[in-house]
Amino acid sequence: MVRSFALVYVEMGLPRAPPAEQIAAVPLLLRGISSRPAQHRAVVLRVVVTALAQLQPSPGGSYNQLVVTGSSTGDGSSSSSSAVTTASLLPPDQADRQLFLNHALKLLLYQRPSSSNKPSNATPLGMASAAIAAATGAAAADATATPPSPPPAGLSSSDVAMLEEKGVPTKEQLIKQKLGMLALLVGAAAGMPGNTAAAAAAAAATKPTGTADASAAIAQSAG
């Protein structure tokens, strides 16, 4: 019970903390997450995703080093505390890491609901159904109600419900969350011994054109 209340306050307060402090809390939050109740996991993962949205690749830096946006010194230059390594953010425990990576995949597959994906009743069949319902005394709301949109490919309805538990993220929020997650995952993959392909991809992602391309692709999928 006490831990549940503590997590509620963490979810409320951590997004108001400086970006560097949010990132510093990520390893602590992910530690032991696989052994926590499902409700606690959901809260922790929401907080972590929000914090990781502060990350971006380090321009011209090492593939496994990221920059915390908004962390700067008084003269406007980046401070030394704004840099963070990918290895320090991922949980060392295999079960914890697997659970986090599963959630990361769901986040990357998630797309905001689009009105263009929902069936429209402004069709002859839809209007005929509404007319019949009105004639038979059925509720017009029932006749015009549309079924929910199917979940994005690779996700279940429960996955979408979990990702939207606190509301549908805005397009800007979703883009930042996905870019932060990608920066972490690409850097971590590139840091694996012998993974030269991922290292090359991470190096390309630190270039302005690479970051811009990734942002454009995510923005398109975010809807």
Side-chain angles (χ1 to χ4, degrees):
M1 180 68 71
V2 174
R3 181 170 295 182
S4 297
F5 278 113
L7 284 175
V8 169
Y9 284 114
V10 168
E11 185 173 20
M12 293 173 55
L14 191 61
R16 305 176 185 177
E21 293 184 12
Q22 295 185 43
I23 295 300
V26 168
L28 300 176
L29 291 168
L30 291 178
R31 185 181 304 162
I33 189 174
S34 60
S35 61
R36 296 180 182 179
Q39 185 178 8
H40 292 182
R41 293 179 187 177
V43 175
V44 169
L45 290 171
R46 282 198 303 267
V47 175
V48 167
V49 167
T50 301
L52 293 180
Q54 317 292 331
L55 291 178
Q56 64 182 16
S58 177
S62 172
Y63 57 78
N64 64 348
Q65 194 168 42
L66 305 173
V67 171
V68 182
T69 59
S71 298
S72 60
T73 59
D75 58 2
S77 60
S78 296
S79 64
S80 58
S81 61
S82 65
V84 60
T85 59
T86 56
S88 67
L89 296 178
L90 292 176
D93 181 78
Q94 184 175 358
D96 293 343
R97 181 174 297 199
Q98 187 61 52
L99 188 146
F100 171 70
L101 292 178
N102 288 342
H103 184 77
L105 177 59
K106 294 176 183 178
L107 174 68
L108 295 176
L109 290 175
Y110 172 76
Q111 298 179 32
R112 297 175 67 250
S114 172
S115 57
S116 61
N117 293 333
K118 296 180 180 180
S120 173
N121 284 326
T123 62
L125 179 59
M127 291 185 288
S129 299
I132 294 173
T136 56
D142 292 339
T144 58
T146 58
S149 300
L155 296 180
S156 65
S157 297
S158 59
D159 293 333
V160 174
M162 181 265 296
L163 292 167
E164 296 179 349
E165 184 173 351
K166 292 298 182 178
V168 178
T170 66
K171 182 176 180 179
E172 291 73 20
Q173 289 173 334
L174 186 58
I175 290 173
K176 290 184 64 177
Q177 290 173 1
K178 289 190 175 186
L179 285 175
M181 187 66 73
L182 279 174
L184 172 61
L185 297 181
V186 171
M192 296 175 63
N195 200 345
T196 55
T206 62
K207 298 179 181 179
T209 54
T211 304
D213 291 343
S215 300
I218 290 178
Q220 185 176 5
S221 67

